[in-house]
């Protein structure tokens, strides 16, 4: 089969690789019909390369048709249309019983001190072959895949694999009070959904911040107030002034470790990229290599007693945080990998009707064949051609 493989920093290629096969009774083989490029994939393209090896198959936002199931899978059959969550969870361990699926104890990568295994996402999370491919082996298919209706465009359901439940969790964690104000830093795919979900779940005002014109325009189409951060000298101050001189009740950081405007973090990431893999792994895992400009702005902008919810990915172990200010202002902080299956039953009914309340069919800007994936990665990273979300068709 054809699959997108990592070969080096900013070097991904579509190659012929062996077809996946059933290895365990709880496996399924899914023929991929659509698979998206996630903002988290760009971390692999740039910063987290030391944890990959040439030939690793990328991608963790796939959906398709079940081709084959193992003897231990009774809830799926060949021909079923499914979305595959990015984290691999068993559904029955101590963590899964508490709906903490991203911490599944059956698939936890304990050798690296990490949580549940992820598709297509480095040795830190199990080196599991990903879904930017023609076929995908899905472990723990007795629990993980989400069955969806046979009809309707793939984009109606595809985002259940990651970014839609990730945004849903971020808004739930933000805990915006009824009639309150939510600010969303970063209007990439997750940020777009955070803003729309915030409105859907009852926030009186939602303010989105970004510097890419196409992203700002997309958010405005969905009733979101916007701020172009490239036009602001003091982003946090502008937000505070905009919301009663007090600041938003909740702020979501939907950007993460590669935020614009953080010179020291950018230098640290560049330095890590020049080191041999073993040394670079140590630097990424044990040093403060994240660009924290957005997180610090979020912490300064949220009102006293408010909540900052982090959905953007961070990787450093010793990042400096303004703890005195956080403590003094009584800020609550929530974060973590999304527990996808915790939220899908709430979301699926919103996707099945004709009204599309979350605007899932107004996100994808580019649909390209899998063969064009290398070009798509470059375009997405550089934010060229109005690119907000890329969906690949194997």
């Amino acid at each position: 089969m054809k699959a997108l493989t990592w070969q080096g920093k900013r070097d991904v290629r579509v190659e012929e690789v062996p077809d996946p096969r059933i290895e365990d009774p709880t496996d399924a083989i899914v023929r991929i019909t659509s698979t998206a490029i996630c903002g988290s994939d760009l971390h692999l393209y740039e910063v987290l390369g030391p944890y990959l090896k040439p030939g690793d198959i990328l991608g963790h936002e796939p959906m398709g048709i079940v081709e084959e199931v193992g003897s231990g899978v009774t809830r799926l059959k060949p021909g079923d249309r499914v979305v595959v969550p990015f984290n691999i969870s068993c559904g029955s361990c101590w963590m899964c019983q508490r709906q903490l699926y991203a911490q599944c104890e059956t698939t936890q990568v304990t050798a690296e001190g990490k949580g549940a295994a992820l598709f297509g996402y480095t040795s830190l999370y199990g080196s599991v072959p990903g879904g930017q491919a023609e076929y995908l082996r899905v472990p723990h298919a007795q629990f993980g895949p989400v069955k969806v209706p046979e009809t309707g465009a793939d984009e109606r359901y595809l985002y259940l694999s990651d970014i839609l439940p990730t945004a849903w969790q971020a808004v739930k964690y933000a805990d915006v009070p009824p009639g309150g104000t939510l600010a969303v830093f970063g209007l990439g795919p997750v940020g777009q959904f955070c803003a729309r979900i915030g409105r859907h779940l009852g926030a009186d005002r939602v303010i989105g911040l970004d510097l890419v014109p196409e992203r700002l325009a997309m958010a405005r189409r969905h009733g979101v107030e916007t701020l172009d951060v490239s036009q602001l000298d003091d982003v946090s101050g502008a937000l505070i002034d905009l919301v009663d001189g007090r600041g938003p009740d909740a702020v979501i950081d939907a950007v993460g470790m590669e935020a614009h405007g953080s010179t020291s973090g950018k230098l640290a990431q560049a330095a890590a990229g020049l080191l041999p893999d073993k040394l670079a792994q140590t630097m990424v895992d044990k040093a403060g290599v994240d660009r924290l400009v957005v997180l610090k702005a979020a912490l300064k902008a949220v009102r006293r007693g408010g909540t900052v919810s982090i959905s953007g990915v961070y990787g450093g172990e010793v990042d400096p945080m303004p703890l005195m200010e956080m403590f003094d202002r009584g800020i609550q902080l929530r974060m973590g990998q999304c527990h996808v299956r915790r939220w899908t039953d709430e979301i699926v009914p919103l996707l099945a009707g004709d009204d599309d309340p979350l605007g899932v069919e107004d996100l994808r800007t580019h649909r390209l064949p899998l063969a064009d994936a290398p070009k798509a990665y470059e375009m997405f990273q550089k934010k060229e051609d109005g690119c907000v979300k890329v969906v690949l068709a194997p």
Side-chain angles (χ1 to χ4, degrees), residues 43 47 118 121 162 174 176 194 199 241 309 326 367 374-376:
H43 301 322
V47 180
L118 310 179
Y121 217 80
D162 178 355
V176 185
C194 285
R199 285 177 51 81
D241 290 343
S309 173
M326 293 165 64
R367 185 173 179 89
K375 177 178 69 176

Side-chain angles (χ1 to χ4, degrees), residues 75-315:
R75 57 181 291 270
L76 299 176
K77 65 183 186 302
D80 284 344
R81 189 187 192 197
V82 296
V83 176
V84 181
F86 76 97
N87 41 28
I88 303 169
S89 47
C90 72
S92 59
C93 69
W94 191 92
M95 288 289 182
C96 287
Q97 288 175 15
R98 288 153 179 80
Q99 296 188 306
L100 298 172
Y101 301 120
Q103 308 300 334
C104 173
E105 292 180 328
T106 302
T107 73
Q108 260 181 33
V109 187
T110 53
E112 298 289 349
K114 296 296 185 286
L118 310 179
F119 286 104
Y121 217 80
T122 81
S123 60
L124 291 176
Y125 289 98
S127 294
V128 181
Q132 289 170 2
E134 293 181 311
Y135 293 90
L136 177 68
R137 170 183 167 253
V138 181
H140 294 286
Q142 85 287 353
F143 174 72
V146 180
K147 291 176 66 172
V148 297
E150 296 180 359
T151 59
D154 275 7
E155 281 88 344
R156 178 59 70 123
Y157 302 102
L158 175 63
Y159 309 127
L160 286 167
S161 57
D162 178 355
I163 59 173
L164 193 53
T166 290
W168 192 275
Q169 176 173 293
V171 175
K172 289 284 191 174
Y173 280 8
D175 195 23
V176 185
T181 298
L182 171 68
V184 180
F185 277 81
L187 292 172
V190 171
Q192 294 286 342
F193 279 148
C194 285
R196 300 173 199 182
I197 291 166
R199 285 177 51 81
H200 177 76
L201 293 181
D204 186 57
R205 295 177 70 186
V206 178
I207 303 167
L209 299 92
D210 207 293
L211 46 70
V212 179
E214 291 84 359
R215 292 178 172 185
L216 293 164
M218 178 178 282
R220 286 193 293 269
R221 286 202 298 271
H222 293 270
V224 177
E225 300 176 52
T226 60
L227 287 177
D228 183 345
V229 298
S230 67
Q231 304 300 312
L232 300 173
D233 294 326
D234 179 2
V235 175
S236 300
L239 263 181
I240 290 170
D241 290 343
L242 196 60
V243 188
D244 306 319
R246 188 177 295 121
D249 299 287
V251 177
I252 293 174
D253 172 1
V255 179
M257 65 192 295
E258 293 189 77
H260 291 276
S262 182
T263 303
S264 60
K266 185 174 183 179
L267 289 172
Q269 291 174 358
L274 298 173
L275 295 172
D277 282 357
K278 287 296 183 184
L279 292 176
Q281 288 174 8
T282 300
M283 183 173 180
V284 170
D285 192 41
K286 302 300 182 185
V289 298
D290 295 313
R291 305 184 200 174
L292 298 177
V293 61
V294 166
L295 179 55
K296 288 182 176 179
L299 292 167
K300 288 180 179 295
V302 72
R303 67 158 169 81
R304 289 177 177 272
T307 301
V308 173
S309 173
I310 305 173
S311 63
V313 174
Y314 286 94

Side-chain angles (χ1 to χ4, degrees), residues 155 159 214-215 218 221 361-368 379-380 384-391:
E155 281 88 344
Y159 309 127
E214 291 84 359
R215 292 178 172 185
M218 178 178 282
R221 286 202 298 271
E361 293 187 356
D362 182 27
L363 185 75
R364 188 261 295 164
T365 52
H366 295 75
R367 185 173 179 89
L368 299 168
M379 174 179 62
F380 189 25
E384 296 175 338
D385 194 34
C387 183
V388 175
K389 186 65 175 179
V390 180
V391 175

Side-chain angles (χ1 to χ4, degrees), residues 12-26:
V12 295
R13 306 174 197 171
V14 177
E15 297 186 324
E16 289 284 343
V17 302
D19 289 350
R21 58 183 179 82
I22 298 289
E23 297 179 17
D24 295 305
T26 54

Side-chain angles (χ1 to χ4, degrees), residues 70 74 136 145 168 332 338 377 383 392:
T74 58
L136 177 68
W168 192 275
Q332 301 175 79
C338 180
Y377 265 75
K383 302 177 179 66
L392 302 170

